[in-house]
Amino acid sequence: MARILITTDYLHPGDAVDQLLRERGLEPVYSPSRGPRTLEERRSLFEGISGAILASEPVTADMLAGAASLQVIARSGVGYDSIDVQAAAAHGIRVCNAPGTNHHSVAELTIGLIIMAARRLLEVTTAVRQGHWPREAGHELRGSTLGIIGYGPGGRATANLGVALGMTVLVSTAHPDRDNTAVQFTDLDTVLRDADYLSLHTRAGQSTGKLIDGPRLQAMKPTAVLINTARGSLVDEGALAKALSDGTLAGAALDVLESEPLPGDSPLRGLDNVLITSHLAGQTIEARTRAGLAAAHAVIDVLENREPAHPVDR
């Protein structure tokens, strides 16, 4: 019986994914991702494994070198930056993801973070718990400018919510939808300059540089807020911490980080104007169900010699 490794921490024995795999004669093996693994754990993770449904933890060339029986890796999510796709291809291992399963969840959390920043809800709720009763004014979203970088499913869903809230929506993308006249497609410099709330919805680039670095933070309004629900690797966290500290930028809301969980020595720790959540954008019950099943179907397809629906290796 082929063994299927599952590291996604919300997938459990007896759930829909477990049942689907067992119905196809496969044996789920659970090793939940809850932080960095030891070197020994990483080296042995894929031993005797034919397929894997993975969280966003790193999969390196060294880990794949000893994965003699591994045929397919399926991400239970959209991002796959953490996987060395070239090394997987060199070993004949297919790599798939699950797009279109969590974009509504991502968009809703993005707007929720924007509302929290606009109305200073983190500061207010913290103060109330401490016995205070703050009454400082926040900002309405209507009439403000939402800048979006990237126009995949998550960026598109966020743009639609922004329009519904009465925001002016500016989008920087290589793939504009000219039929959507409610959204203004423009260049990156304009989005950076004009956004009151800048939301990232793009994949990581091939270069080693950060999409949001010191100069681009300097190009933003000092009253602006940066929101990242896409990938932690997009933002230079050191430059962001400096911008938040010296008033270059008013605030930030981050659901993804370059290293997760947030390291104890992160320069972002202790800053009052940054809100950090624990990679929750796609973590709704509905999105988890869709993503887990999509990943399971990808594994089954590859093991049964069918082309998977969403390969990222071709």
Side-chain angles (χ1 to χ4, degrees):
M1 183 180 292
R3 303 172 77 231
I4 309 302
L5 172 70
I6 300 177
T7 73
T8 305
D9 60 0
Y10 58 77
L11 298 177
H12 305 286
D15 66 12
V17 169
D18 186 88
Q19 293 176 32
L20 175 61
L21 294 173
R22 292 184 186 279
E23 287 170 2
R24 305 308 279 259
L26 304 171
E27 178 188 356
V29 177
Y30 294 87
S31 180
S33 173
R34 297 195 174 100
R37 300 180 190 269
T38 66
L39 178 60
E40 182 178 348
E41 288 171 337
R42 293 198 302 273
R43 286 177 173 171
S44 62
L45 189 62
F46 298 116
E47 287 182 2
I49 296 298
S50 298
I53 297 174
L54 299 187
S56 55
E57 62 183 306
V59 176
T60 64
D62 288 345
M63 294 170 66
L64 296 173
S69 59
L70 186 62
Q71 298 179 53
V72 55
I73 295 171
R75 272 280 292 115
S76 56
V78 179
Y80 54 91
D81 315 16
S82 57
I83 301 171
D84 190 328
V85 177
Q86 289 186 334
H91 291 284
I93 301 167
R94 300 301 306 274
V95 180
C96 311
N97 68 342
T101 56
N102 66 6
H103 57 283
H104 291 302
S105 300
V106 170
E108 289 175 7
L109 182 70
T110 299
I111 295 298
L113 293 174
I114 291 172
I115 291 172
M116 288 191 72
R119 301 303 294 270
R120 302 175 63 183
L121 294 184
L122 177 62
E123 301 159 70
V124 169
T125 55
T126 299
V128 170
R129 282 198 303 270
Q130 295 172 345
H132 306 292
W133 199 248
R135 298 281 293 159
E136 289 86 355
H139 293 279
E140 292 184 358
L141 298 188
R142 181 172 296 276
S144 65
T145 298
L146 171 60
I148 293 177
I149 301 177
Y151 201 62
R156 189 175 297 110
T158 301
N160 291 339
L161 291 178
V163 169
L165 289 167
M167 305 177 81
T168 298
V169 179
L170 306 180
V171 177
S172 169
T173 177
H175 306 285
D177 177 7
R178 299 301 182 187
D179 293 331
N180 187 351
T181 57
V183 171
Q184 300 176 35
F185 294 94
T186 185
D187 59 275
L188 177 59
D189 289 342
T190 300
V191 173
L192 290 169
R193 183 192 68 217
D194 292 349
D196 296 302
Y197 304 93
L198 178 68
S199 187
L200 308 183
H201 296 275
T202 186
R203 66 181 61 184
Q206 300 300 314
S207 67
T208 57
K210 303 294 185 182
L211 173 66
I212 303 300
D213 55 11
R216 284 181 170 154
L217 290 166
Q218 290 281 347
M220 295 173 65
K221 296 178 181 179
T223 54
V225 177
L226 172 70
I227 302 95
N228 188 10
T229 56
R231 288 142 180 81
S233 58
L234 294 172
V235 177
D236 182 333
E237 293 178 1
L240 176 60
K242 182 178 184 300
L244 292 169
S245 298
D246 64 19
T248 297
L249 197 68
L254 310 174
D255 185 56
V256 288
L257 301 162
E258 188 145 31
S259 180
E260 298 177 1
L262 180 67
D265 60 353
S266 169
L268 297 170
R269 281 195 179 274
L271 295 177
D272 294 333
N273 52 349
V274 61
L275 170 64
I276 298 176
T277 52
S278 51
H279 207 142
L280 293 175
Q283 304 306 312
T284 59
I285 292 171
E286 296 82 0
R288 284 179 168 185
T289 299
R290 291 190 294 264
L293 288 172
H297 280 293
V299 167
I300 291 167
D301 285 342
V302 172
L303 295 183
E304 295 183 355
N305 298 312
R306 292 188 297 272
E307 181 67 13
H310 300 291
V312 301
D313 51 6
R314 293 184 181 175

